[in-house]
């Protein structure tokens, strides 16, 4: 269950208010100003700077509920700019990969590092401070780094950094021999790996913080939670149970779904949206050298509509004759499926496609597999042009031109790092 070598040391690097920090990099006037970033279709707040948090703006809060505070304190609001955030994330992660021997990219703004091997030549704390300064200087993104004997303790150390402005961006929890006071400050719902359901169970059993959880009998934890809960308890006690997950794993499915910018009624509009989604899904699996055996398509109206006669949802599973990642083939199959489930007279709010049964494209197990070099060459050219000249420089005709269904992004910043036309001009 646990890693035999107990002298392991882990660190967690987490970008501070990542989306909002990316907006600040290219707009210095936003420094020390309250900034929030919105979810798809400008619906809810998904990122906040400390200044915005201080005003009482909550994570996940719908934009319309926060409008009074936003207007009163002149809070800067941005639509999500995923192209920019992805690009900035790549820059931060590359620096981390160059700085640490073993790294697990956990999310777009988080990475675990196994740092035990640095002990011979470096002080953990000073080394982490230096890496943090380099990232801030080279990318403009502020990060927090937590150091601990396990991944769970590193996560707690990082949490402490983010919630204590007096700490200079790095906290080494290994320097604290008696961690009781620290763990007592961590609510069970804030422990990494403890979800909402388990936290309610623990609170019901009078376990309200991380320290109380560590004092619980192992047999009780195993019986009432599961083996993962027991591992989390052991990690809180300084016994490492989780290795870095840095091995590439083939994904099992690929989903692309969006809520429309406004409700759409016509088959033409929903055809354009579905074509765009399947095109994006095909690009994703080609990039990972995968092929798909099955397409799942779904469409639906607003599920919160109080009139049941105005609600409609349907889906269809489409088996492919042979595994493929060809956009044209996948698009044709998907649109055939769409015509089978589309119904007139409804206002559609969302659609999505899921490519499943994914496998490596070089497998030779299929007698009737697709073997068309012209299609492969075409898709290679398709991807090259879109990578070279920008997303959607080349697209299939069924995606349309007007795209009235596109997400609301009225407050979106420029693609400073991914589009030549949006490059900043410096005048000397």
């Amino acid at each position: 269950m646990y890693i035999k070598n107990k002298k392991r040391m882990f660190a967690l690097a987490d970008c501070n208010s990542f989306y909002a920090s990316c907006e600040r990099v290219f707009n210095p006037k936003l420094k020390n100003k309250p900034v929030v970033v919105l979810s798809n279709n400008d619906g809810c707040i998904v990122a906040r700077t400390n200044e915005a948090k201080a005003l009482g703006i909550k994570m996940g809060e719908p934009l319309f509920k926060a409008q009074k505070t936003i207007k009163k304190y002149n809070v800067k609001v941005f639509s999500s700019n995923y192209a920019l955030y992805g690009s900035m994330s790549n820059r931060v992660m590359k620096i981390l990969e160059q700085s640490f021997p073993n790294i697990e990219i956990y999310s777009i703004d988080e990475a675990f590092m196994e740092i035990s091997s640095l002990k011979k030549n470096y002080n953990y704390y000073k080394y982490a401070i230096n890496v943090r300064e380099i990232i801030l200087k080279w990318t403009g993104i502020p990060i927090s780094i937590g150091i601990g004997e396990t991944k769970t303790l590193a996560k707690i150390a990082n949490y402490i950094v983010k919630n204590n402005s007096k700490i200079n961006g790095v906290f080494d929890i290994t320097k604290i021999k008696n961690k009781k006071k620290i763990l007592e400050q961590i609510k069970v719902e804030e422990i990494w790996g403890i979800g909402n359901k388990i936290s309610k169970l623990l609170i019901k059993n009078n376990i309200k913080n991380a320290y109380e959880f560590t004092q619980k009998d192992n047999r009780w934890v195993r019986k009432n939670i599961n083996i993962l809960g027991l591992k989390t308890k052991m990690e809180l006690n300084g016994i490492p149970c989780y290795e870095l997950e840095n091995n590439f794993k083939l994904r099992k499915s690929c989903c692309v779904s969006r809520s429309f910018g406004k409700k759409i009624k016509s088959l033409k509009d929903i055809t354009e949206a579905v074509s765009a989604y399947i095109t994006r899904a095909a690009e994703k699996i080609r990039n990972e050298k995968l092929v798909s055996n099955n397409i799942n398509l779904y469409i639906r109206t607003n599920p919160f509509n109080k009139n049941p006669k105005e609600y409609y949802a349907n889906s269809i599973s489409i088996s492919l004759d042979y595994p493929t990642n060809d956009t044209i083939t996948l698009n044709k199959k998907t649109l055939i499926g769409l015509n089978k489930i589309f119904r007139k007279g409804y206002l559609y709010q969302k659609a999505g496609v899921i490519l499943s049964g994914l496998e490596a494209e070089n497998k030779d197990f299929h007698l009737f597999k697709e073997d068309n070099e012209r299609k492969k060459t075409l898709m290679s050219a398709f991807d090259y042009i879109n990578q070279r000249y920008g997303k959607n420089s080349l697209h299939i005709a069924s995606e349309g031109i007007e795209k009235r269904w596109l997400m609301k992004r009225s407050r979106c910043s420029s693609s400073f790092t991914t589009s030549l036309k949006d490059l900043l001009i410096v005048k000397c």
Side-chain angles (χ1 to χ4, degrees):
M1 177 190 293
Y2 60 89
I3 303 167
K4 291 184 179 180
N5 180 6
K6 295 182 181 180
K7 295 181 180 179
R8 305 291 288 275
M9 204 65 66
F10 296 87
L12 173 69
D14 188 358
C15 300
N16 300 342
S17 305
F18 180 58
Y19 291 177
S21 293
C22 289
E23 300 294 350
R24 278 179 165 173
V25 170
F26 299 96
N27 190 348
K29 292 180 180 179
L30 298 176
K31 188 175 181 180
N32 299 323
K33 300 287 180 63
V35 179
V36 298
V37 179
L38 306 176
S39 62
N40 291 343
N41 283 312
D42 293 349
C44 300
I45 294 166
V46 294
R48 308 158 295 160
T49 59
N50 288 333
E51 294 81 5
K53 294 176 186 177
L55 296 176
I57 297 175
K58 300 176 182 177
M59 176 67 83
E61 185 175 10
L63 177 62
F64 73 89
K65 287 188 176 182
Q67 282 291 11
K68 287 185 178 179
T69 303
I70 288 171
K71 290 180 180 178
K72 182 177 180 180
Y73 295 100
N74 193 27
V75 178
K76 304 301 178 184
V77 181
F78 291 89
S79 303
S80 294
N81 186 344
Y82 297 118
L84 174 64
Y85 308 151
S87 173
M88 295 302 290
S89 173
N90 287 336
R91 297 179 184 207
V92 172
M93 296 305 165
K94 283 181 180 178
I95 297 172
L96 290 174
E97 287 174 339
Q98 293 168 2
S99 304
F100 296 96
N102 298 307
I103 179 172
E104 171 195 342
I105 298 176
Y106 187 66
S107 69
I108 191 171
D109 63 347
E110 287 181 283
F112 282 103
M113 290 81 67
E114 202 282 321
I115 61 175
S116 307
S117 60
L118 298 175
K119 188 175 182 179
K120 293 180 181 179
N121 302 310
Y122 302 100
N123 173 283
Y124 294 138
Y125 176 82
K126 291 181 179 178
Y127 189 84
I129 286 286
N130 184 54
V131 172
R132 182 178 183 273
E133 290 174 351
I134 290 173
I135 290 175
L136 182 61
K137 182 178 180 180
W138 291 3
T139 70
I141 302 295
I143 71 167
S144 298
I145 300 178
I147 301 171
E149 297 92 340
T150 68
K151 290 172 75 174
T152 305
L153 286 174
K155 189 81 173 179
I156 285 178
N158 192 282
Y159 175 85
I160 291 170
V161 177
K162 289 199 165 188
N163 288 274
N164 192 331
S165 58
K166 295 180 181 179
I167 298 176
N168 190 26
V170 177
F171 181 65
D172 185 355
I173 203 172
T174 66
K175 300 298 183 183
I176 312 297
K177 291 184 179 181
N178 187 351
K179 298 181 176 62
K180 179 181 177 181
K181 289 185 178 180
I182 289 178
L183 295 180
E184 284 178 337
Q185 298 173 23
I186 309 298
K187 297 178 182 178
V188 288
E189 58 265 33
E190 293 167 349
I191 301 172
W192 181 55
I194 300 295
N196 184 52
K197 185 177 180 180
I198 295 176
S199 65
K200 287 181 179 179
L201 171 68
L202 293 174
I203 293 170
K204 185 178 179 181
N205 285 273
N206 205 31
I207 303 169
K208 299 177 182 178
N209 58 57
Y211 178 73
E212 291 175 348
F213 183 48
T214 63
Q215 301 306 299
K216 205 65 180 173
D217 181 73
N218 285 351
R219 288 171 295 182
W220 185 92
V221 175
R222 177 73 182 267
K223 180 181 178 181
N224 291 276
I225 305 178
N226 51 35
I227 186 64
L228 297 179
L230 181 56
K231 286 184 176 182
T232 298
K233 175 184 177 290
M234 294 175 71
E235 289 237 326
L236 287 170
N237 281 317
I239 303 172
C241 298
Y242 296 111
E243 283 276 16
L244 293 188
E245 296 181 7
N246 47 17
N247 294 324
F248 177 76
K249 295 180 181 179
L250 294 179
R251 67 160 87 195
K252 296 180 180 179
S253 63
C254 177
C255 175
V256 176
S257 64
R258 299 282 188 278
S259 292
F260 307 131
K262 63 177 182 179
K263 294 180 178 65
I264 56 179
K265 195 173 184 177
S266 71
L267 177 60
K268 175 181 176 293
D269 286 337
I270 203 166
T271 294
E272 290 182 2
V274 167
S275 289
Y277 299 167
I278 194 65
T279 296
R280 180 67 184 127
E283 288 175 353
K284 285 184 175 182
I285 66 170
R286 278 200 303 274
N287 187 50
E288 297 179 24
K289 300 189 183 304
L290 299 174
V291 289
S292 173
N293 282 282
N294 194 78
I295 305 168
N296 291 287
L297 166 69
Y298 72 87
I299 55 175
R300 68 165 172 79
T301 60
N302 183 359
F304 301 105
N305 195 321
K306 295 181 180 180
N307 186 347
K309 292 183 179 180
E310 295 179 0
Y311 178 70
Y312 174 73
N314 206 346
S315 62
I316 187 170
S317 180
I318 307 159
S319 296
L320 299 170
D321 299 326
Y322 43 76
T324 183
N325 56 22
D326 177 68
T327 295
I328 297 173
T329 301
L330 293 171
N331 186 60
K332 286 181 179 178
K333 293 284 187 179
T334 302
L335 294 187
I336 290 172
L338 175 62
N339 279 277
K340 290 180 179 179
I341 63 175
F342 177 82
R343 296 291 181 272
K344 292 181 179 180
Y346 291 98
L347 289 172
Y348 291 93
Q349 185 187 52
K350 187 175 184 179
V353 293
I354 305 169
L355 296 179
S356 56
L358 300 184
E359 61 184 55
E361 66 177 342
N362 57 356
K363 280 191 175 181
D364 296 320
F365 299 149
H366 301 275
L367 180 62
F368 301 105
K369 71 171 186 173
E370 183 179 36
D371 187 19
N372 190 324
E373 288 301 324
R374 290 184 64 186
K375 285 186 177 181
K376 291 181 180 178
T377 303
L378 177 61
M379 288 299 102
S380 294
F382 189 93
D383 293 337
Y384 173 78
I385 290 171
N386 284 329
Q387 290 170 8
R388 178 70 176 82
Y389 297 102
K391 189 177 177 181
N392 295 325
S393 295
L394 187 64
H395 60 264
I396 55 179
S398 57
E399 288 186 51
I401 297 174
E402 293 182 358
K403 299 184 178 181
R404 291 174 290 183
W405 46 269
L406 280 176
M407 289 190 304
K408 293 177 183 176
R409 298 178 72 197
S410 59
R411 300 174 173 89
C412 192
S413 56
S414 301
S415 300
F416 299 108
T417 61
T418 57
S419 175
L420 288 173
K421 67 178 182 180
D422 290 334
L423 281 178
L424 292 176
I425 298 174
V426 179
K427 297 181 179 179
C428 300

